[in-house]
Amino acid sequence: MFQNRLLASVKTIQKFYSQRNKSDVGFIGVGNMGQRMATNLIKKGRRVKVYDVSKAAMESVTGALPCESPQEAAADVDFVITMLPDGDVVKQVLTAENGVLKGISKRALLVDSSTINPLTARELHKTAEDAGIKFLDAPVAGGTAGASAGTLTFMVGGNQDAVKAAQAILLQMGGNVMHCGGPGAGQISKLCNNMIVAVSMIGVAEAMNLGAKMGLDVNTLVQVVNTSTGRCWISEKYNPVPGVMKNVPSANDYNGGFRSQLMAKDLALASSIAISCGAPILLGSAAHEIYRTMAAYGYGNKDYSSIYKFLQGQH
Amino acid sequence: MFQNRLLASVKTIQKFYSQRNKSDVGFIGVGNMGQRMATNLIKKGRRVKVYDVSKAAMESVTGALPCESPQEAAADVDFVITMLPDGDVVKQVLTAENGVLKGISKRALLVDSSTINPLTARELHKTAEDAGIKFLDAPVAGGTAGASAGTLTFMVGGNQDAVKAAQAILLQMGGNVMHCGGPGAGQISKLCNNMIVAVSMIGVAEAMNLGAKMGLDVNTLVQVVNTSTGRCWISEKYNPVPGVMKNVPSANDYNGGFRSQLMAKDLALASSIAISCGAPILLGSAAHEIYRTMAAYGYGNKDYSSIYKFLQGQH
Amino acid sequence: MFQNRLLASVKTIQKFYSQRNKSDVGFIGVGNMGQRMATNLIKKGRRVKVYDVSKAAMESVTGALPCESPQEAAADVDFVITMLPDGDVVKQVLTAENGVLKGISKRALLVDSSTINPLTARELHKTAEDAGIKFLDAPVAGGTAGASAGTLTFMVGGNQDAVKAAQAILLQMGGNVMHCGGPGAGQISKLCNNMIVAVSMIGVAEAMNLGAKMGLDVNTLVQVVNTSTGRCWISEKYNPVPGVMKNVPSANDYNGGFRSQLMAKDLALASSIAISCGAPILLGSAAHEIYRTMAAYGYGNKDYSSIYKFLQGQH
Amino acid sequence: MFQNRLLASVKTIQKFYSQRNKSDVGFIGVGNMGQRMATNLIKKGRRVKVYDVSKAAMESVTGALPCESPQEAAADVDFVITMLPDGDVVKQVLTAENGVLKGISKRALLVDSSTINPLTARELHKTAEDAGIKFLDAPVAGGTAGASAGTLTFMVGGNQDAVKAAQAILLQMGGNVMHCGGPGAGQISKLCNNMIVAVSMIGVAEAMNLGAKMGLDVNTLVQVVNTSTGRCWISEKYNPVPGVMKNVPSANDYNGGFRSQLMAKDLALASSIAISCGAPILLGSAAHEIYRTMAAYGYGNKDYSSIYKFLQGQH
């Protein structure tokens, strides 16, 4: 078993080096999401170099060439894709001594698919531009399931030409590429969309819990809402009431899906830009606190639809 | 003009009396909604008696026979329909000295289409049942536009047989009859649905305003949301951003549609049942206060999508 | 033991009847609060007749004469005091077939010390006035501890002369009589005061929990706040942090004091009048939902300062 | 006039240089607050060097020696005090090429009186400590009025010995020095205190507006609250209702005092640390959004008590 794997690795490396000139993607950050995305690129025939602080993570991308640094991963490729936990890490990975900008060639396109503060994204656009590199912010929607299935939606901010140039490779990892506007627009759009989802989820959960406590049959209530003005993606596709739908986190004790604490993190980013531009987000902010309160009750690592359970309390 | 109208009235009355035995609907409360609903029944061939505290309102239903009291309107018909401003009025109209229960025959079906407190609706079910009368709570969605077009949705609570018996006549005023459950279930379902809508509207408006202030093109943002998880009836069919859609209140300076203060009233009812059953409605309640605050800024008589404008402030 | 009690009762009744002409208070509603208040009146030398739906409650007021009805309790006295759970009960007790208004003499003053909807209180003022009876709304602050100690604060609404006439007897049950204005003003003032307290409590608890989680010594933080602009009755006299003060509910696992669900009830009343007059209560309403959510986590019967514990969550 | 001022300046400079060895304070940041604080130090006999990016600001501190850089202002003094707009500026001023840490002597004590993110304050403690410099975070309460009168309250975080060493000089600018705990404790305490004030203000304003709209005399209501459990610094000393008190912003069309947008800024900092430590701040966060919404209605530069006016709306 181990021998086979070792042999496979050696072959991969040999093959990789033999094709070095044709190598075309440097993928930095291969955690839960990045590992799946990079794997899809390889399946679609791309030659992929990877970098991650975790060696185990790098090794999890079968067929990729592990690198010693972001600089090395970014060298001699047509595309560099970053998928990292937050804006500070992205900034660091780009601008460090052995960072992406030290290695990347002028012909390459740099795509950051992390979800980060749009204001940081705008800084990075500027930094890349100053270094003569085309940059896109391109956060994704769809979660690990979408990353595995290659059905992610990319919300992209940046130059029209750069978006065109990225289209083909993004569609090898996703099902939809939306050009949202100039620098930062991908991040802003994602946060706006997620704020709606975050608020809707709580609204739906409160209504379903209210109906149930008033004695309604919840399945009937869901049908009524879904043929009425209350219908939304949450009520139709991601219902928080256990037993109403299959293959959603509420059917699986709220495991899988999108963790409450990640939703809270996105809402913190939304709050940050809302403060910067003076836009009130009365419900967005209330939703943020509710997801944070849920975390205090042990729902931080559960899907955000566990708000339904939170509302039921404990006695 | 006046003579023609008078002549028409006289003919109506003659025709009505000649068919008195075949008269089949008593309609009580012919305001903005009721007038349109009763008119549709007449168009579909029903003989309709009407009662309203306003004579002008009664006269506005061409072809109906005006009555002196709820009792008279309820006499000798197969269906009595009430469409009144609140639960206290409905209670009064049913139980007064010259009220519906004094006039209605045992064969008739009593349908209350007012939006009232579900707890009052349950009382009325009991009251009617004690009097040997079949009763349904059947509030509507769709507003005056739906009432005119005959496309209302009826959310109905009560006995299965009674719902079946009402189906045909309700479909002469609407496009959809949903049986939501037992006594009060129509009212509860409507409030649950409207609470979701009320919350979603604010969530969408906050996100759109945030995106716009961050420099996004709002039309693009709407498209992004509508192909993402944030999509909902509000974002797709009733967008609060002026210029995004035609034939919605936001295209008409927030006139028409569903007034903020009526949404606030529905949320007050939702709050009332939420207190009665111990269901927290953190965002529902916050939404309630936001619509109430909007009223203090002159948006009470505007459509509830005017939250978008409220969020923009005044300087 | 039983014989002694029986003997005492018999003597009380004999004494009472011998002084019947001088009997001066009818006390209706002798639950947790009323029992203590009536007992204080007896200690101060008043002859007191009592009525309650519970015989056990009536018997708990040693020295009082139990009556068969509100009418009987209200007959031949100078003062009738009601201390009942809500406005509907007060209305019923006053206007029923065998109610207070059937028994009370024109010379008597009727004082309602229940906490009820101010709009109901205003109706009752009108009802009493129409019957030729002087009426005051006079809800209390101070809880069962204040009721026992005779240190209650009465917030009184009504006619100046009536307030003067009530002053002496109210001061036999309390330490402070505040004339807040005309009919209903006592109730409104109490709700306004309690809304401030409800909001302050949560603000203080959030700040203390935040400080503690950030590593501050909570006792030091309390001192800092109490010498700064954050100081308030809550921080100084009723601190929600266990160990900071003695003789407060937080020192006793949040037992005693004022139950969260009663605070929620007062906030529901505040919400009700706020809706009636169009005053936004954004934080008042949010506080209401927080106390209601606490109830879902088992804090309904704990003092409202248990919000501090609620915020700490459960893991 | 100008000649006199020039002459005075020349004399000051001569005097200053003659005493250079005895010079003891470097004051960096002499805006609205700093100018008043530095002036008080001079009045109390301190020799003060100042630095500010604005020359005009430096010149406004009569009797101080203007410097070319933070480094110069920090050289050869016993105390360096910084009073700057935010944490990034403080960091910059301390660590820049010509920053404080380049000039300050090991014997000196560095006191930052700016209100900044406590997490940044903790970093700065570390930075200073690493450079062998004693550091205190010491934000103030009391506003420009307190700064002029020398009655500020200092909330101090850091080492006990350093606090003792700073006591005398701080009391030359303020009336109260509170040692709140270790590094960052001053900032955390200030934010906790201000969050309570922010929430209380809205609670009081909502209650007063509610009472007024229900027909109460507001002066009477204030008295009732101030002798009841609702009493707090806001209700007693800083009432938001115009006409109730003199010498508060509400008596002066909400001018002076503490601007809503600064309160919003403090609440953003509170939110930031609350997120870092997982403490829910449901009302603190709602208050934050309310002050931000007020800013959209033109109250950003008014005192935060203008919430009372905001609640009254516009028609």
Side-chain angles (χ1 to χ4, degrees), chain B residues 27 31-41 43-44 83 140-154 172-175:
Chain B
F27 206 111
N32 283 331
M33 291 295 292
Q35 183 264 333
R36 288 165 166 87
M37 294 163 73
T39 299
N40 273 332
L41 288 178
K43 283 182 189 163
K44 299 284 169 62
M83 192 65 187
V140 298
T144 51
S148 290
T151 57
L152 293 170
T153 291
F154 288 87
Q172 291 181 330
M173 298 178 285

Side-chain angles (χ1 to χ4, degrees), chain A residues 293 295-299 309-315, chain C residues 293 295-299 309-315:
Chain A
T293 305
Y297 281 83
Y299 295 105
K309 202 171 168 196
F310 173 75
L311 290 171
Q312 297 181 311
Q314 270 161 348
H315 293 277
Chain C
T293 305
Y297 280 83
Y299 295 105
K309 202 171 168 198
F310 173 75
L311 290 170
Q312 297 182 311
Q314 269 162 347
H315 293 278

Side-chain angles (χ1 to χ4, degrees), chain D residues 12-49:
Chain D
T12 300
I13 292 169
Q14 286 174 332
K15 186 179 160 202
F16 200 96
Y17 274 91
S18 73
Q19 302 176 330
R20 185 137 202 178
N21 298 335
K22 290 175 277 167
S23 161
D24 50 20
V25 183
F27 205 110
I28 296 163
V30 284
N32 284 332
M33 291 295 292
Q35 184 263 335
R36 288 165 166 86
M37 294 163 73
T39 298
N40 273 333
L41 288 178
I42 291 165
K43 282 183 189 163
K44 299 285 168 61
R46 297 275 178 180
R47 283 152 306 167
V48 177
K49 293 195 283 181

Side-chain angles (χ1 to χ4, degrees), chain A residues 121-177:
Chain A
R122 284 180 175 169
E123 273 180 52
L124 296 177
H125 272 272
K126 184 79 176 50
T127 303
E129 193 184 342
D130 290 350
I133 304 296
K134 289 188 290 292
F135 182 81
L136 293 173
D137 57 291
V140 299
T144 51
S148 290
T151 58
L152 293 171
T153 291
F154 288 88
M155 300 184 184
V156 189
N159 183 278
Q160 179 90 46
D161 289 344
V163 176
K164 268 188 195 163
Q167 188 93 4
I169 193 170
L170 296 181
L171 287 174
Q172 291 181 330
M173 297 177 286
N176 200 359
V177 173

